[in-house]
Amino acid sequence: MNTFGCIRLKRIYFKTFFIAACVFLLIFYMKRLSGHIGNEIDLIPEELKRFELELQEYEKGIMPLLGENGEAANLNGVDRVNGEAALKKVALNTVLSDRVPLNRTLKDPRHRKCREFKYKTTLKASVIIIFYNELLSAVLRTIWSVILQSPANLLREIILVNDASTDDKLNGLLQYYLDTRLKGHDIKLFHLKHRMGLIRARLHGARAASGDVLIFLDAHCEATKEWIEPLIARIEEERTAVLVPIIDVIEANNLAYSTNGDSYQLGGFTWSGHFTWIDMQKDSDKLTLTPVKSPTMAGGLFAIDRKYFWEIGSYDEQMDGWGGENLEMSFRIWQCGGRLETVPCSRVGHIFRDFHPYSFPDNKDTHGINTARLAHVWMDDYKRLFFMYQPTLEDNPMIGDLAHRKQLRQKLRCKSFKWYLENVYPEKFVPDENVYAHGQVKTKNEMCLDDLQLGDDKVGPLGVYMCHDFLAMTQYFSLSFKGELRKENHCAEAFSNFNVQLTECHSHKREQFWKYFPENRTLYNPSFRKCLSSEGVKNSGGLKLDFCKKKGYQEWTFTHLNLTAF
Ligand code: UD2
Ligand code: MN
């Protein structure tokens, strides 16, 4: 080669090297900017020694057979006292969790017929577990259960995303545990530089995943026998199906794995934007063992085809912190042509905590803001019902820009929310549709019907309270075409002692059936042939039925009356 040729070659080498270096730097900085740097922690030898000692100490504290088979576990003495204190402080008996073997055995919680099903699967899953300041032993038990309960050929990898936990154990010690105690398993641990909230943490995990199917889990779960096969098999059959296992309860106080027997629940929602469970009746013919369609999902545990996850719009990246992402994804999947299903033969336990053990930066109401985002994008006119609960969020600048999500909805040619209600969730009660009357219901002395702050799944008196001068949700009632005096899933029901309680609507009329007479404004209960009366009832008091005397105390005025319907 002549000199000229040599110089040219050198130049080409140099150029290539220069471009490669630039590309590398660019990628590095872009990742860093978005906080997506999946760095491994470099452990120095002294630290390794310290971790080893710490782990050995921890391992000595584990009590063999405690909590085996998912039985309730109990501690004694100081441990018991400390455990109870922890439960109050972080909503989990952390002392007990640290004593129960990480690889404890669990009973097979499935319906016995599930054992007869055979699954043909070729796809592999990436299991993604995200966490912020979770208890190390709970995180490790989640990982162990995935490893122990999943056939190796179905598991591509486990991806852990540490959402910038401040608890040190979740940094170096966790990495050390993986390197020494779970060596040989494909487990990738990513540490986010800044706290990004569970939505963006999951997105980070999904970006790093290479399996055909993504399975998301909270960091305090335990998978059980054959949990993964039916999820993957269903996706193999129908790639646009998004699947949720039955989520059993692991008790936060004694770590008992408890089940609801053979009955299970599907996902619903309230107009205030919260997720709710829909009980499936034991004798219902809908109680099948094959996947059953569910209007929404709880959000933490689900399986989805990896490519489909991206096609259908992954998550709304502008959702911060915690909450709302589950309903957003549920509505989006249904409205944009997918399906959401509960898989009765796949069961995973989850520690349901009474409160969040962590706080959010600036104490932002991320659930409210995220739900406002989804209401604007997915709920069309029905968003009016959510904003009735959250009027201050409707035009709040904190909601941020929605253009991308609206574009996505157009691009995917998604159906309307009305279509969703009619086709996916026809049982869902719409408080201002198919009703004779709705709104605030006034009686004598400026008193109004009021649910007295009754919780979602509770039963309690239908009462009166001073009328608010704004539309408080506790005072928003409807009289449905079925004759129910109703609030979401609560219906006014009369009892033989003439008390009136709010109970779960059963749609069989009887004691939940009311007739309204616009002429004299009485609410009449035909079962007892009596009228709803506030006579003698004080502020916050419960109402009773009385002989219809057509006096002021038995007059009820709704803000909106659909006169043509009577
Ligand atoms: C439920 C879901 C949860 C999520 C949430 C709504 C189930 C069983 N759980 O609440 O997955 O969909 O509803 O948003 O369906 N985390 C972070 N960063 C944070 C906050 C939380 O990584 O800033 C992690 C946390 O450590 C946990 C997961 O996100 O692993 C879910 O949080 P949670 O367990 O407190 O939520 P949960 O079960 O009350
Ligand atoms: Mn959880």
Side-chain angles (χ1 to χ4, degrees):
M1 198 187 298
N2 61 23
T3 333
F4 181 67
C6 197
I7 290 172
R8 230 174 64 172
L9 207 63
K10 266 190 192 156
R11 264 200 202 145
I12 291 172
Y13 274 138
F14 180 74
K15 245 189 184 165
T16 324
F17 173 77
F18 183 73
I19 292 171
C22 285
V23 169
F24 176 78
L25 278 176
L26 194 72
I27 292 176
F28 183 81
Y29 277 105
M30 273 171 51
K31 277 190 163 186
R32 173 145 273 192
L33 272 183
S34 57
H36 284 160
I37 189 97
N39 54 330
E40 254 125 66
I41 291 184
D42 292 325
L43 302 175
I44 44 176
E46 293 93 84
E47 267 183 336
L48 296 184
K49 244 191 245 155
R50 182 165 61 79
F51 288 147
E52 183 54 40
L53 289 177
E54 199 173 332
L55 271 190
Q56 283 178 12
E57 194 59 29
Y58 168 71
E59 281 161 351
K60 262 193 257 161
I62 293 178
M63 295 154 73
L65 301 182
L66 188 69
E68 281 297 286
N69 281 324
E71 302 288 350
N74 290 301
L75 297 171
N76 297 313
V78 189
D79 278 353
R80 183 189 201 107
V81 176
N82 292 342
E84 280 163 10
L87 188 66
K88 286 202 186 111
K89 197 166 160 221
V90 293
L92 171 64
N93 188 336
T94 55
V95 182
L96 180 65
S97 177
D98 286 353
R99 300 273 189 273
V100 169
L102 299 174
N103 56 354
R104 72 161 166 174
T105 52
L106 293 172
K107 281 196 204 102
D108 181 353
R110 295 171 302 166
H111 190 288
R112 58 189 161 72
K113 286 203 181 131
C114 292
R115 291 175 213 156
E116 292 161 19
F117 293 153
K118 296 278 167 282
Y119 304 99
K120 268 205 223 117
T121 42
T122 57
L123 301 180
K124 283 178 187 290
S126 298
V127 174
I128 301 171
I129 301 166
I130 55 155
F131 51 89
Y132 173 73
N133 283 359
E134 296 279 348
L135 183 71
L136 180 65
S137 57
V139 179
L140 292 177
R141 199 170 293 109
T142 310
I143 300 171
W144 268 106
S145 80
V146 170
I147 293 173
L148 292 172
Q149 307 287 359
S150 320
N153 64 322
L154 298 186
L155 195 60
R156 163 67 49 83
E157 65 200 340
I158 297 177
I159 291 182
L160 306 175
V161 184
N162 176 3
D163 188 11
S165 299
T166 51
D167 179 351
D168 248 0
K169 286 200 168 62
L170 296 168
N171 295 301
L173 188 61
L174 173 56
Q175 184 65 59
Y176 182 77
Y177 188 94
L178 302 179
D179 292 346
T180 55
R181 306 318 198 249
L182 285 168
K183 215 169 149 194
H185 293 281
D186 190 348
I187 307 178
K188 302 179 176 86
L189 169 58
F190 297 94
H191 297 278
L192 301 182
K193 279 261 178 289
H194 311 285
R195 173 127 177 241
M196 300 182 81
L198 74 90
I199 293 121
R200 291 188 288 256
R202 281 198 195 126
L203 277 168
H204 183 86
R207 283 193 191 100
S210 62
D212 312 292
V213 170
L214 306 178
I215 303 183
F216 294 92
L217 294 181
D218 277 5
H220 32 256
C221 289
E222 282 175 82
T224 66
K225 198 170 165 58
E226 274 198 288
W227 73 291
I228 203 168
E229 288 89 336
L231 300 176
I232 299 182
R234 176 72 184 125
I235 288 175
E236 201 147 345
E237 186 180 271
E238 170 84 64
R239 72 180 285 274
T240 63
V242 178
L243 305 162
V244 185
I246 291 185
I247 307 177
D248 289 317
V249 175
I250 301 173
E251 310 281 354
N253 58 344
N254 59 20
L255 292 196
Y257 188 107
S258 44
T259 68
N260 223 347
D262 287 337
S263 68
Y264 53 88
Q265 297 164 310
L266 303 177
F269 69 91
T270 64
W271 292 109
S272 62
H274 289 93
F275 170 83
T276 49
W277 293 107
I278 308 172
D279 277 324
M280 301 279 284
Q281 300 304 327
K282 249 206 161 112
D283 48 349
S284 156
D285 10 311
K286 282 196 203 150
L287 205 66
T288 66
L289 293 176
T290 47
V292 41
K293 78 176 200 185
S294 178
T296 74
M297 66 165 153
L301 292 66
F302 67 97
I304 183 168
D305 179 278
R306 179 168 56 84
K307 291 193 181 125
Y308 184 62
F309 176 75
W310 296 111
E311 280 163 34
I312 196 80
S314 61
Y315 274 121
D316 177 353
E317 199 151 358
Q318 276 163 271
M319 283 192 176
D320 209 3
W322 181 100
E325 93 294 346
N326 51 342
L327 294 188
E328 192 270 350
M329 186 174 249
S330 308
F331 297 160
R332 174 161 46 84
I333 285 166
W334 279 116
Q335 286 174 245
C336 307
R339 299 177 57 78
L340 189 59
E341 297 173 347
T342 294
V343 182
C345 288
S346 168
R347 301 181 78 138
V348 179
H350 168 265
I351 303 178
F352 287 89
R353 298 179 290 210
D354 283 350
F355 54 89
H356 290 306
Y358 47 80
S359 61
F360 295 103
D362 309 325
N363 280 329
K364 233 165 78 178
D365 169 21
T366 58
H367 178 273
I369 298 167
N370 293 345
T371 311
R373 286 183 68 79
L374 83 89
H376 278 302
V377 177
W378 298 103
M379 292 175 77
D380 305 324
D381 275 354
Y382 290 89
K383 70 182 179 188
R384 67 182 182 272
L385 297 167
F386 169 70
F387 289 116
M388 234 160 41
Y389 282 86
Q390 297 271 17
T392 56
L393 282 178
E394 185 153 14
D395 301 308
N396 198 313
M398 281 207 291
I399 294 172
D401 182 40
L402 296 165
H404 273 95
R405 298 310 278 179
K406 287 189 172 166
Q407 268 164 22
L408 173 81
R409 182 170 168 175
Q410 264 187 345
K411 191 182 98 192
L412 297 175
R413 297 168 192 270
C414 307
K415 298 192 184 84
S416 67
F417 198 72
K418 194 174 175 55
W419 176 90
Y420 167 81
L421 287 175
E422 283 170 356
N423 294 278
V424 181
Y425 201 1
E427 309 81 20
K428 183 68 198 157
F429 179 64
V430 183
D432 57 0
E433 280 181 5
N434 301 320
V435 296
Y436 291 114
H438 65 103
Q440 208 178 33
V441 196
K442 260 192 195 170
T443 184
K444 210 175 151 154
N445 295 340
E446 293 302 303
M447 296 292 228
C448 278
L449 273 192
D450 199 293
D451 73 0
L452 308 178
Q453 315 257 8
L454 188 66
D456 269 348
D457 308 318
K458 304 270 171 6
V459 168
L462 170 68
V464 282
Y465 194 83
M466 256 170 1
C467 296
H468 296 290
D469 51 10
F470 58 97
L471 186 56
M473 290 320 302
T474 54
Q475 301 193 338
Y476 187 82
F477 286 83
S478 311
L479 186 75
S480 75
F481 281 169
K482 286 187 190 158
E484 301 151 319
L485 179 57
R486 150 165 210 173
K487 250 205 95 203
E488 204 100 43
N489 298 330
H490 277 129
C491 280
E493 178 169 340
F495 285 80
S496 46
N497 58 4
F498 306 128
N499 277 345
V500 181
Q501 302 270 311
L502 286 168
T503 60
E504 199 182 332
C505 303
H506 54 49
S507 72
H508 296 306
K509 294 197 167 180
R510 302 196 303 254
E511 291 79 8
Q512 286 187 357
F513 182 59
W514 300 85
K515 268 187 125 144
Y516 185 66
F517 293 96
E519 322 76 79
N520 53 27
R521 305 197 185 93
T522 47
L523 272 164
Y524 175 69
N525 189 298
S527 292
F528 292 96
R529 300 194 191 164
K530 283 192 160 65
C531 285
L532 188 68
S533 167
S534 64
E535 191 170 2
V537 184
K538 299 208 179 73
N539 208 19
S540 292
L543 295 167
K544 282 198 165 254
L545 291 183
D546 201 351
F547 293 106
C548 298
K549 300 178 225 155
K550 302 183 189 98
K551 278 205 315 205
Y553 289 109
Q554 292 183 2
E555 282 176 27
W556 302 93
T557 316
F558 286 83
T559 345
H560 302 281
L561 198 59
N562 183 358
L563 267 178
T564 52
F566 283 90

